[in-house]
Amino acid sequence: MPDTVFLNRMEADDFSDNAVLDISNGGKILIISDLHMGTGLRDDLNHNGEMLICLLEEYYLKNGWYLILNGDIEELHKYSLDQITEKWAGLYRVFNLFAKENRLYKLAGNHDEKLLLKRYYPYPLHNVMKIETGIVPAFVYHGHQLSGIYVKFNKIMGTGIRYLLKPFGIKNISAARSPNKRFHIEKKAYAFSIKHNCLSIIGHTHRPLFESLGRFDYIKFEIERLCRDYPASLGAERSRIENEVTSLRMELGKLKRKERRDVLRQSLYGDELPVPCLFNSGCAIGKKGLTAIEITNKDIALVYWYTEGKSKKFIKRGGYDITGIPGKPYYRAVLNHNKLDYISAKIKLLGNQ
């Protein structure tokens, strides 16, 4: 079970900093994390930055969405805040537009945690916030707080990254690059959510999760579903299923090669049915796009934004709800979507009674 001071605070429902957003009567929220805004050629956000500015302003701001920035927004382990604000003035301009309408919430991550100590920062900062949907409560937090290493030694790790790794162009050594650390953090968040019959929406690991499933687990469930549909299918539908299963098996093989097989065999929920209580927005620094979580008082979705001609291969297989920004080469694909009342029912039936 989670045993950090951070989660004890959540269990006590201590939200004296007013980090509560009630959308039970309506409202739309975008949750995005791990922008790692920096400067120079090795800035992780460089290849998605222009797209991010556009989609935030043209799609989410203009359509009345709230914006939750869930940690590791500024890469303060490598750069100073002054350097970052100068480089990303265009992005801060959009943040300011959300903040002006009281639609911006910013949470701390391990790479920008020192902002909590700054006297002057333009936006209120939180460690955790609660979303009241009217159906099932959702807690949003970065996720690094679930690891004792980050809680105790984050300052030392930041110094090492800035003065040892950065000069040689070595990437950060973090939970995002360690399968074992990812599962450790995800399991703790999963256990917390089951105990309290709520949703946890995290970042930190850079691994998108929807209903407690990563891409590897999701593909296995999707192949099983397609195999069930196959006997009753005919003609073009049967061919479509055959092609889809082939493509999914190829993607499954790539994932097996990418991470150690013993880790992939692990599960957040053991041998039981998955309780759909854990979600992860992924990150904004993917080579071919960025992922985010969207939530309303009725449903929740994992979305993927990409530049025309640069999407991940599985998007091209079709079957995804894709919308674009008029006049811009940027597109939004809904990777997963479900109703909150269905998710709430599964949490009640499969989780703690």
Side-chain angles (χ1 to χ4, degrees), residues 207-208 213-219 248 251 255 314 317 320:
R207 188 168 89 111
L213 297 177
R215 187 68 187 162
F216 185 84
D217 287 316
Y218 174 79
I219 289 175
L248 288 172
E251 188 175 346
L255 288 173
F314 68 83
R317 295 200 302 266
Y320 295 98

Side-chain angles (χ1 to χ4, degrees), residues 48-56 289-290 305-307 330-331:
N48 287 332
E50 185 177 339
M51 176 176 65
L52 179 61
I53 293 172
C54 181
L55 67 90
L56 287 179
L290 61 89
W305 283 91
Y306 62 95
T307 302
Y330 306 130
Y331 293 87

Side-chain angles (χ1 to χ4, degrees), residues 79-96:
Y79 310 99
S80 72
L81 182 60
D82 288 341
Q83 290 175 317
I84 295 170
T85 53
E86 181 180 356
K87 164 69 182 295
W88 291 105
L91 189 51
Y92 281 104
R93 177 186 62 80
V94 179
F95 291 166
N96 290 337

Side-chain angles (χ1 to χ4, degrees), residues 106-295:
K106 196 167 189 297
L107 308 181
N110 53 302
H111 284 252
D112 55 11
E113 193 171 46
K114 64 176 67 176
L115 291 176
L116 293 169
L117 303 176
K118 284 189 174 293
R119 181 172 299 179
Y120 301 107
Y121 187 72
Y123 319 116
L125 289 163
H126 310 284
N127 274 311
V128 59
M129 69 177 296
K130 183 180 183 182
I131 298 173
E132 293 284 8
T133 68
I135 297 175
V136 58
F139 290 91
V140 185
Y141 51 100
H142 186 63
H144 69 291
Q145 301 95 334
L146 299 171
S147 171
I149 294 176
Y150 288 105
V151 171
K152 296 178 182 178
F153 305 112
N154 189 49
K155 185 176 181 180
I156 296 174
M157 293 171 69
T159 301
I161 290 172
R162 173 171 288 194
Y163 296 107
L164 295 179
L165 303 187
K166 178 190 170 186
F168 295 98
I170 301 173
K171 293 185 178 180
N172 296 343
I173 300 172
S174 67
R177 294 173 57 79
S178 169
N180 283 312
K181 290 180 180 178
R182 285 204 298 265
F183 276 94
H184 173 76
I185 289 169
E186 290 163 0
K187 284 182 177 180
K188 281 195 170 185
Y190 182 76
F192 169 80
S193 294
I194 289 178
K195 178 180 178 181
H196 295 282
N197 294 313
C198 66
L199 306 183
S200 278
I201 303 176
I202 64 173
H204 185 52
T205 68
H206 296 193
R207 188 168 89 111
L209 294 173
F210 191 83
E211 296 184 355
S212 306
L213 297 177
R215 187 68 187 162
F216 185 84
D217 287 316
Y218 174 79
I219 289 175
K220 292 193 295 184
F221 279 91
E222 187 69 4
I223 289 175
E224 183 178 351
R225 182 188 66 80
L226 290 168
C227 288
R228 285 200 189 99
D229 293 343
Y230 185 74
S233 64
L234 297 171
E237 178 64 11
R238 174 164 284 214
S239 296
R240 184 195 69 79
I241 292 176
E242 290 173 353
N243 292 334
E244 183 75 0
V245 169
T246 298
S247 297
L248 288 172
R249 289 181 63 191
M250 290 175 62
E251 188 175 346
L252 202 64
K254 291 179 180 178
L255 288 173
K256 284 182 179 180
R257 293 190 293 272
K258 187 176 180 180
E259 295 190 3
R260 295 199 306 273
R261 297 190 179 192
D262 60 331
V263 174
L264 286 170
R265 291 192 191 102
Q266 297 181 38
S267 172
L268 297 177
Y269 40 84
D271 295 326
E272 302 173 1
L273 291 170
V275 180
C277 57
L278 179 60
F279 297 78
N280 190 317
S281 56
C283 68
I285 59 174
K287 292 182 179 179
K288 295 188 177 182
L290 61 89
T291 55
I293 291 288
E294 297 175 353
I295 185 169

